[in-house]
Amino acid sequence: LVVSDVCAQVTLKGKVVDSQSREAVIGAAVVVKGTSKGAATDAEGRFTIQVTRVPVILTVSSIGYKKADYEVKNADQKIEISLTPDNVFLESIDIEDSRITQKQQEQPLTVESLDLIAIKETPAGNFYDGLANMKGVDITAASLGFKVINARGFNSTSPVRSLQLIDGVDNQSPGLNFSLGNFLGASELDVKKVELIQGASSSYFGPNAFNGVIHMETKSPFEFPGLSALVKVGERALFEGGLRWAHKFQNKEGRDVFAYKVNAYYMRARDWEATNYAPATESKAGADNPGGYDAVNRYGDEYLGGKNDWISDTSEFKMYPGLGIVYRDGYREVDLIDYKVENIKTNIALHGMLTPKIEWIGASNFSFGSTVYQGENRFRLKDVQFYQHRLELRQKDKWFLRAYATHEDAGKSYDAVVTAFMLQNNSKANNKWFNDYSNYYQINFALPGQDVWQLPGFPSPSFVNNPAFVDSALKVLSQYKDSLIKWHQMARAYANSNQGLAGGVGIYPYFPAGSMEFDTAFAGITSRPLGRGGARFFDRSALYHVHGEYQFKIGTLLSLTTGANFRLYAPNSRGTIFADTNGRVIRNYEGGLYAGVEARLGKVKLNMAHRLDKNVNFPLLWSPALSAVFTPRKEHTLRFSLSSAIRNPTLADQYLYYNVGRAILLGNLKGFRNLITIPSFVDYFDHLDTSRLEYMVINPVRPERVWTAELGYRGTLFKKLYVDFSGYYSIYQNFIGFKLGVDAKFVPNNPFPVAFQAYRVSANSADIVHTRGASIQIHYYFKKYYAVNGNFTYNELDRRGSTDPLIPAFNTPRFKFNIGVSGRDIRMKIGKARLNNWGFNVNYRWLEGFLFEGSPQFTGRIDSYGMLDAQINYTYPKAHTTLKIGATNLLNNRVYQVYGGPLIGRLAYLQLQFDMGTWGISRKK
């Protein structure tokens, strides 16, 4: 104990250790009982607190340990506080719901959590990827820099049904209405805890907390002062560097009055390349077709309407025998995208104490980077910028008033697929190109007496009207594939040249990738906005949010939480994404009110919550939730909940106007009439008979709703075995998807449309969607330092016989599991040598194959796969440094996680992390 001579202050310095291993407990909260004065232990388990007198009682708590009180009786007492491990808590699982820490409300939902130690020891490449090892969690990697976390089905590279928060602040992109993974998130050095709440939870989190909520809590500079640094290098030219500095100031009475923190993070790497050249799902031809095919990661070869099929109709086949189905050349994604990944994240936060209990916070975040994003198309996000500013006033666990603003700038981002279309159109429009191709083939090879008809065994012209002609001709053509390929290559070369019967527009030849002409055209297209001769999209959208909450305690058995929020969306795309053209300014706002009551009746805890939300374009919506938690004994908890959630249509669902080449994507606030169904339009083109056309009506899009019933159990068996089980059943109404249709203009006596355009329109499912699932997590501890853990998850979409084509993509494996073994703070003796302070973590993840349904171009089968993550670490306490060597996908099992994305392989790394606690506390004089 050290006694200060300033105003008779007593400075308490001590250490918190594990009662079994005697190792330091990092990040433990040490609080003077009956006050808000406290500190957190540093990397050596040490803490410093000033008090005005002794004796005092210190209350110490840490995730994974039982709370302990420690009495300091006199000034010369040595302080070493031992915490006893609590087998009910796990190293990486917090069995309490996030409402304990945010709203002092227990919610009996499925909650997974990473604490400080688990973040540091995850076998994955970073803490965000490590969430995939939790039960019920799916991760989708569209690229190295863009990864999406999802739970309970309807996985997507556009995760609009999940909510991601950082310190209670929505981390979504204002224009896209979802978070870009952790690309624009928090630095790992500053993350204190990550919680993933699974299931419908709009009651407190508001709209879009539909299938789950990811909540990150960063480190307060009051609790975590000092210096931290991180350096990581690895495969794929990976480099990461991070720095965090925090400092706090106290007044003469030893009370915290002001603190600040600064974070800086930089990452660069070479991304995975998308090189899937298998035929896309919508390709009518296979890879062996002489006239080409539509490949998954080759763009511009997609069928965009018009005549490209000379085999479906018998009369066409007789005029062009051997021509068949033809596709344009297109360009590979690797020729259109720079795969350099870069990410910069900075943060500064100021914290002040107005009173011993009331705190103010001012924080600003800035993120910058480049990566690949996959949505309806593949996009190069280049020099994206993201700004977020927050002001908050709060009394912890009592009330808060929070306001924040988020701004984004799409930088030099562009659509790779649209770029390919426009590069080809620089040469010739589709109809002109196909005309040149087919005419050249017919004139040079397909007229009677020419090459096709001279093939040995080919039927004679006099046999043309015989019903057996087509089958006989196809049989011969299949035997002379080499000749067909040669003829098609000549026709393609002619169509790609600046010659041809088309004339007029399209005087340039097809530019091969890498040529000077290609580079010049590419630079021009990617620098001009969409809709103005280019493929770059402009997005400087913003959102503004205000949120307040207050908690009332009514005696010891009842508590009430109330709150309200208001949000304004201000999209700004200059017509490249939304319908904000010709001076139109779009503004969309929504607000909500909520209240929740918690009552304790003996061993039963009851919760009831209600929320009302109103968006300017939609009616008032109600989201109720009921729950009961029964704790017959301390080691066992049973829970039941009936919860609901609503999701307002996104800005894209309401205002989108985006031409992706194959179709124009439209928002739908007013509905559409007289659109032609796609099947009937294809049938019309095959027969040129307008009587075959079928028309449809699409109603205006409406909000979604989900109801979820959930049962669960958490408990500790035999003192070392922890079990967490949950099962759920969900019912979705008005599920938002989209419908495809064609708008065509016809004139009398002309079988061909004068003009036509395909549209994809946001719409609601007519049928109710049902899903169900269950998951179980087991942890077993042995030999003091070691643990074995495993989890198994089942999710399934139940269509109930529905044939509604709009029921959206489930995109989720039916079965998946994780199994792992870990050790921490291991102390071993090998001969005369001692090996202390080391640990390891190994996890194997497997999932069953499933159909991934994205855009028509990116729909296909994801095969079953397994991935092994592993790391080993060593901590050198005197240098406050931890060395970590590991690999994600250690066995380099190259797999697709999203159809249309890249094959994901191994990423091995070496990491050094330095953590130094308080280097002294400044005081006002």
Side-chain angles (χ1 to χ4, degrees), residues 100 106 598-607 627-630:
I100 294 288
E106 290 185 8
E598 176 192 292
R600 299 175 183 270
L601 304 174
K603 296 181 179 181
V604 178
K605 183 187 295 183
L606 300 175
N607 282 279
S627 66
V629 177
F630 175 53

Side-chain angles (χ1 to χ4, degrees), residues 122-159:
T122 176
N126 55 66
F127 79 94
Y128 201 82
D129 290 0
L131 294 172
N133 298 334
M134 295 178 170
K135 69 179 172 70
V137 179
D138 296 299
I139 187 167
T140 299
S143 65
L144 186 61
F146 180 72
K147 298 176 183 178
V148 173
I149 298 295
N150 192 66
R152 296 193 175 177
F154 305 107
N155 196 10
S156 169
T157 52
S158 302

Side-chain angles (χ1 to χ4, degrees), residues 119 174 264 327 332 339 361 369 451 562 622 642 685 699 742-743 747 766 807 812 825 840 865 922:
I119 290 171
Y327 287 87
R332 301 176 306 167
Y339 284 103
I361 301 172
D451 298 55
T562 61
W622 174 51
L642 180 63
F685 250 112
N699 294 320
V742 175
D743 183 23
V747 296
I807 291 180
T812 304
D825 300 326
F840 68 91
Y865 67 83
S922 299

Side-chain angles (χ1 to χ4, degrees), residues 13-17 22 24 44-47 79-82:
K13 292 186 177 181
K15 186 175 183 179
V16 180
V17 298
R22 310 309 298 170
E44 295 181 342
R46 300 187 182 279
F47 66 89
I79 302 176
E80 183 174 284
I81 306 171
S82 299

Side-chain angles (χ1 to χ4, degrees), residues 42 119 150 157 160 206 312 314 335 345 412 590 614 629 684 704 712 754 770 813 833 845 857:
D42 62 17
I119 290 171
N150 192 66
T157 52
V160 294
S312 298
T314 302
D335 299 322
K345 290 183 276 200
K412 301 176 183 177
E590 60 189 29
K614 178 70 173 72
V629 177
Y684 150 78
E704 294 182 14
V754 176
H770 301 258
R845 180 170 83 254
Q857 181 74 7

Side-chain angles (χ1 to χ4, degrees), residues 330-378:
Y331 291 94
R332 301 176 306 167
E333 179 175 303
V334 295
D335 299 322
L336 301 166
I337 284 179
D338 173 9
Y339 284 103
K340 178 183 178 182
V341 178
E342 188 176 30
N343 191 201
I344 297 172
K345 290 183 276 200
T346 62
N347 159 266
I348 183 169
L350 308 178
H351 293 239
M353 302 300 298
L354 294 178
T355 72
K357 293 184 177 181
I358 299 177
E359 179 181 10
W360 63 266
I361 301 172
S364 288
N365 301 323
F366 169 74
S367 301
F368 172 92
S370 300
T371 188
V372 178
Y373 159 65
Q374 180 171 327
E376 182 72 19
N377 286 340
R378 295 271 290 179

Side-chain angles (χ1 to χ4, degrees), residues 265-302:
Y265 169 86
Y266 174 75
M267 184 273 280
R268 70 167 186 265
R270 189 180 74 255
D271 210 338
W272 313 104
E273 296 180 356
T275 56
N276 183 356
Y277 302 124
T281 302
E282 65 175 5
S283 181
K284 295 164 114 181
D288 61 346
N289 180 49
Y293 66 99
D294 175 9
V296 175
N297 291 129
R298 188 175 62 213
Y299 315 132
D301 56 357
E302 296 84 355

